[in-house]
């Protein structure tokens, strides 16, 4: 089937997407799909029923159904770490938790959720207090990567659902300037620090947590009162305790929940603080609805599967090695950053699950920015130089009182997908110049610069209204899309060995800063270390 898809791709690469619409008046109805208050329009893709039929047949041939079931049933599909992948069970009803995890673990997951709610309640109600006896006004979530992006993207997206009272802040990067920025906004005396780290050894997180601990001490918090200011979410409770977190304020993570899929666990603590536990439950409910759709719908009508197969068609067969994700919604401006981590850390692999080289083109470079800002930046290149498949995301209903802004924003979104597809040929460009009063010679000179090849494929994902529930469905849609792509490419989407060497060499460089051997380093890095040492 793979070979047939390569052959089809050769045939289709010259195909005009605009022409499909001339030939198929019903194309939008045929190539769009609604579920969970989301509508996916993939009619502007270079695809038709023949290609889709082959992609679906290939998915069946690859045993996609069995792979989906293996994930949901808790098989150890993360084979390099010998772990199951069960973020889905966190948002499923209790009966499913019991069925998949067994009684003991199901009850642990359930009681973790309850403890999270209790701690949040005690902070919000003012029962929990800081070292000086004052109630908490701020929460700083310290974590990075998967222990940061999920809550942060939802925190921004669900701004209008934030509860009054507590202010929530995020501290991810290891940059003193970022710490100073946070400290300017908060009073540590009334701040709860939530350390989110599955391993509790992540350099950035531990450094930031230690700095906040030190600042608390310097500000007058006694050593005995320190635990009042810390909650930890981790799979290494003994390390959190050694740091000084009270064991009753340590919420577990489990090895069967990958960091970048962990929003649904207590990693969602800062988000639940911000939007309230009920809205957090709605987020989970939206994700569960998408899980059910994913598990039960035939591939032809399965949104995550279709999104994934179209992505594979563009990348592996048509040879487009990037993917732009463009939310036309200010509230989703963090979504491309979140997606970069989930997608590229999951799919950016060199070998398959057996350790054999992957020769197929896989794992597009994912980038994006909220519209319309991207139109005034990288979209020039997309219109005239490179074909970059695009996923537009837009909310039908705006959330500001400025309705004209929303009309203009959405119009720009729809216009961009049309422009990417239609393009403009030389004759159109020339005629346009003449029509605007430019003389013939100048028109001939100018017209080539105005040509846009067009035929760039895109999908548009329309969100009925951005709510906790639809946000949950959106997040789960992309989680499953990424899983399906990994399953089809036969790679392990749930490990991230590629980030390790940088961490190891980071230690080597810090040792070099401390005057230890630089022998293993290149001349470039040695010189850079020297420069840093001279300046500091
Ligand atoms: O970037 C590598 C990574 O291991 C991510 O997968 C993970 O989400 C992040 O670092 C943070 O890890 P931890 O939760 O253990 O601090």
């Amino acid at each position: 089937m793979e070979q047939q898809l390569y052959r089809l791709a050769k045939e289709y690469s010259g195909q005009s997407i605009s022409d499909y619409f001339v030939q198929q008046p019903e194309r939008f109805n045929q190539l769009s799909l609604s579920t969970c208050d989301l509508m996916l329009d993939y009619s502007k893709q270079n695809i038709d029923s023949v290609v889709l039929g082959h992609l679906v047949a290939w998915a069946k041939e690859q045993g996609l159904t069995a792979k989906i079931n293996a994930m949901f049933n808790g098989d150890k599909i993360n084979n390099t770490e010998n772990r199951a992948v069960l973020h889905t069970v966190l948002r499923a009803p209790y009966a499913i938790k019991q069925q998949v995890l067994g009684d003991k673990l199901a009850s642990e997951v359930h009681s973790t959720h309850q403890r999270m709610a209790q701690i949040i309640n005690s902070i919000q109600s003012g029962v929990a207090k800081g070292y000086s006896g004052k109630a908490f006004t701020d929460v700083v979530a310290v974590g990075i990567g998967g222990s940061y992006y999920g809550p942060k993207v939802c925190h921004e997206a669900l701004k209008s659902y934030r509860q009054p009272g507590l202010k929530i802040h995020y501290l991810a990067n290891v940059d003193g300037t970022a710490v100073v920025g946070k400290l300017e906004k908060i009073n540590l005396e009334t701040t709860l620090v939530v350390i989110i780290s599955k391993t509790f050894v992540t350099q950035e997180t531990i450094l930031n947590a230690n700095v906040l601990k030190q600042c608390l001490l310097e500000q007058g918090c006694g050593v005995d009162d320190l635990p009042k200011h810390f909650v930890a979410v981790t799979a290494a409770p003994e390390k959190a305790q050694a740091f000084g977190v009270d064991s009753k304020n340590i919420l577990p993570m489990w090895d069967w929940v990958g960091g970048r899929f962990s929003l649904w666990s207590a990693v969602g603590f800062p988000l639940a603080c911000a939007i309230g536990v009920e809205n957090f439950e709605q987020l989970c409910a939206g994700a569960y609805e998408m899980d059910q759709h994913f598990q039960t719908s035939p591939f032809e009508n399965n949104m995550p599967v279709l999104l994934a197969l179209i992505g594979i068609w563009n990348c592996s067969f048509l040879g487009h090695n990037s993917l732009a994700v463009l939310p036309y919604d200010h509230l989703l401006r963090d979504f491309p950053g979140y997606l970069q981590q989930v997608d590229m850390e999951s799919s950016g692999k060199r070998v398959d699950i057996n350790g054999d080289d992957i020769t197929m083109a896989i794992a597009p470079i994912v980038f994006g920015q909220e519209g319309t800002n991207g139109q005034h930046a990288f979209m020039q290149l997309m219109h005239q130089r490179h074909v970059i498949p695009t996923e537009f995301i837009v909310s039908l209903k705006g959330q500001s009182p400025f309705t004209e802004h929303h009309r203009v924003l959405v119009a720009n979104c729809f216009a961009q997908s049309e422009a990417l597809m239609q393009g403009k040929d030389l004759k159109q460009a020339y005629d346009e110049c003449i029509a605007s009063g430019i003389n013939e010679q100048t028109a001939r000179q100018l017209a080539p610069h105005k040509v846009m090849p067009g035929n760039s494929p895109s999908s548009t994902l329309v969100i009925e209204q951005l709510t906790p529930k639809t946000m949950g469905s959106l997040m789960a849609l992309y989680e499953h899309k990424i899983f399906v792509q990994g399953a089809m490419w036969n790679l392990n989407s749930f490990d991230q060995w590629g980030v390790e060497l940088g961490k190891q060499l980071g230690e080597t460089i810090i040792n070099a800063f401390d005057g230890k051997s630089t022998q293993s380093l290149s001349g470039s890095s040695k010189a850079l270390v020297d420069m840093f040492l001279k300046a500091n």
Side-chain angles (χ1 to χ4, degrees):
M1 194 55 67
E2 233 170 283
Q3 292 313 318
Q4 288 183 41
L5 279 159
Y6 280 119
R7 273 197 293 280
L8 273 181
K10 271 198 193 133
E11 201 183 298
Y12 278 68
S13 57
Q15 170 68 42
S16 153
I17 304 173
S18 296
D19 282 356
Y20 285 128
F21 284 91
V22 178
Q23 293 148 15
Q24 304 161 12
E26 283 302 303
R27 186 170 167 86
F28 171 79
N29 290 332
Q30 286 157 356
L31 301 185
S32 61
L33 165 75
S34 294
T35 187
C36 307
D37 291 328
L38 305 175
M39 192 282 296
L40 177 69
D41 168 19
Y42 55 101
S43 60
K44 291 196 190 91
Q45 293 287 345
N46 185 358
I47 215 156
D48 63 7
S49 56
V50 176
V51 175
L52 278 169
H54 278 76
L55 287 166
V56 165
W58 184 46
K60 288 180 182 161
E61 199 180 274
Q62 291 281 94
L64 183 58
T65 305
K67 290 182 179 183
I68 294 172
N69 290 337
M71 176 172 75
F72 279 91
N73 292 338
D75 292 3
K76 294 192 170 173
I77 59 169
N78 176 354
N79 65 331
T80 60
E81 296 177 317
N82 197 28
R83 289 173 182 167
V85 173
L86 278 173
H87 49 281
T88 50
V89 92
L90 296 172
R91 55 217 190 193
Y94 193 69
I96 294 182
K97 287 187 173 71
Q98 267 181 319
Q99 190 191 317
V100 178
L101 301 173
D103 286 345
K104 192 166 167 280
L105 208 45
S107 134
E108 192 181 313
V109 170
H110 186 64
S111 68
T112 300
H113 188 77
Q114 284 178 324
R115 275 172 66 206
M116 176 165 121
Q118 278 158 6
I119 299 174
I120 292 172
N121 187 35
S122 71
I123 307 163
Q124 275 167 343
S125 63
V127 171
K129 292 183 171 58
Y131 70 87
S132 65
K134 290 187 187 157
F136 291 111
T137 55
D138 295 77
V139 172
V140 178
V142 181
I144 197 163
S147 295
Y148 158 72
Y149 279 117
K152 181 65 168 45
V153 72
C154 293
H155 181 86
E156 295 306 331
L158 301 174
K159 188 175 179 206
S160 53
Y161 292 84
R162 285 187 219 155
Q163 319 274 294
L166 276 181
K167 283 195 213 68
I168 317 299
H169 314 262
Y170 290 84
L171 185 57
N173 197 9
V174 63
D175 187 326
T177 312
V179 181
V180 171
K182 288 296 163 221
L183 289 174
E184 280 167 3
K185 288 194 186 133
I186 55 171
N187 178 1
L188 277 176
E189 192 189 346
T190 54
T191 297
L192 179 82
V193 179
V194 185
I195 310 168
I196 306 175
S197 178
K198 189 171 173 183
T199 55
F200 221 83
V201 293
T202 302
Q203 185 189 48
E204 296 91 331
T205 302
I206 301 307
L207 196 56
N208 282 332
N210 271 317
V211 148
L212 295 180
K213 179 157 102 176
Q214 195 52 39
C215 291
L216 267 162
L217 289 170
E218 282 165 17
Q219 194 172 305
C221 174
V223 175
D224 291 347
D225 283 333
L226 266 180
K228 292 180 179 167
H229 286 264
F230 288 94
V231 166
V233 181
T234 184
E238 65 299 335
K239 293 200 175 80
Q241 261 178 292
F243 175 91
V245 186
D246 190 332
S247 59
K248 68 176 189 304
N249 284 339
I250 300 175
L251 297 166
M253 286 173 81
W254 300 274
D255 71 357
W256 39 268
V257 179
R260 52 192 174 273
F261 301 91
S262 62
L263 166 68
W264 325 98
S265 70
V267 169
F269 184 97
L271 176 66
C273 279
I275 63 173
V277 172
E278 274 175 25
N279 281 325
F280 184 73
E281 277 161 7
Q282 281 300 302
L283 183 90
C284 292
Y288 177 62
E289 204 173 302
M290 182 56 78
D291 293 343
Q292 284 179 301
H293 164 80
F294 177 51
Q295 265 189 296
T296 58
S297 306
F299 293 162
E300 295 82 354
N301 297 315
N302 190 316
M303 201 180 273
V305 172
L306 284 173
L307 204 56
L309 292 180
I310 291 165
I312 294 173
W313 171 244
N314 283 329
C315 172
S316 301
F317 297 106
L318 292 177
H320 305 309
N321 62 4
S322 316
L323 171 70
V325 178
L326 308 179
Y328 274 66
D329 190 328
H330 182 71
L331 295 169
L332 288 175
R333 67 193 178 286
D334 283 349
F335 197 72
Y338 153 79
L339 209 57
Q340 281 184 323
Q341 202 239 356
V342 191
D343 196 326
M344 296 201 277
E345 203 166 65
S346 299
S347 299
K349 307 289 162 64
R350 55 173 292 276
V351 293
D352 66 16
I353 48 169
N354 303 312
D356 296 326
D357 286 354
I358 299 174
T359 50
M360 182 179 246
I362 64 157
I365 296 159
V366 180
F367 72 98
Q369 190 182 14
E370 80 274 25
T372 65
N373 289 355
Q375 287 172 218
H376 301 274
F378 50 80
M379 290 199 74
Q380 159 65 36
L381 170 144
M382 293 170 64
H383 284 297
Q384 285 198 314
R385 186 70 222 173
H386 294 299
V387 174
I388 299 183
T390 302
E391 287 168 9
F392 291 95
I393 305 177
V394 66
S395 300
L396 274 190
K397 300 204 174 78
Q399 294 194 22
S400 85
F402 304 110
T403 50
E404 184 57 15
H405 276 71
H406 191 60
R407 271 162 47 85
V408 173
L409 181 73
V410 175
N412 269 283
C413 175
F414 297 168
Q416 286 301 313
S417 68
E418 195 69 21
L420 283 168
M421 179 183 74
Q422 278 191 16
K424 191 183 283 179
D425 65 21
L426 190 61
K427 180 168 179 333
Q428 285 171 314
Y430 175 81
D431 289 349
E432 207 176 82
C433 290
I434 296 294
S436 71
I438 292 173
N439 69 46
E440 280 183 22
Q441 193 195 349
T442 312
R444 265 195 301 278
Q445 282 164 357
L446 197 53
H449 297 277
K450 291 183 162 241
V451 169
M452 297 191 276
N455 219 29
S456 285
S458 72
S459 296
T460 302
L461 186 66
V462 179
I463 305 171
E464 190 69 28
Q465 187 167 7
L466 201 55
T467 64
K469 196 150 179 258
T470 52
M471 190 62 194
S473 299
L474 177 70
M475 303 281 283
L477 167 65
Y478 274 92
E479 284 180 350
H480 294 323
K481 174 204 171 179
I482 289 159
F483 163 72
V484 171
Q485 295 201 330
M488 297 297 294
W489 289 325
N490 203 30
L491 53 80
N492 182 352
S493 306
F494 302 102
D495 60 10
Q496 58 283 319
W497 298 105
V499 303
E500 293 303 322
L501 180 59
K503 290 182 187 172
Q504 285 163 10
L505 286 173
E507 287 297 320
T508 309
I509 302 278
I510 287 181
N511 286 337
F513 288 164
D514 290 339
K516 295 193 188 127
S517 168
T518 53
Q519 252 183 6
S520 61
L521 297 175
S522 69
S524 161
S525 297
K526 279 182 197 159
L528 292 170
V529 166
D530 284 345
M531 272 183 82
F532 177 80
L533 288 175
K534 273 188 200 123
N536 288 277

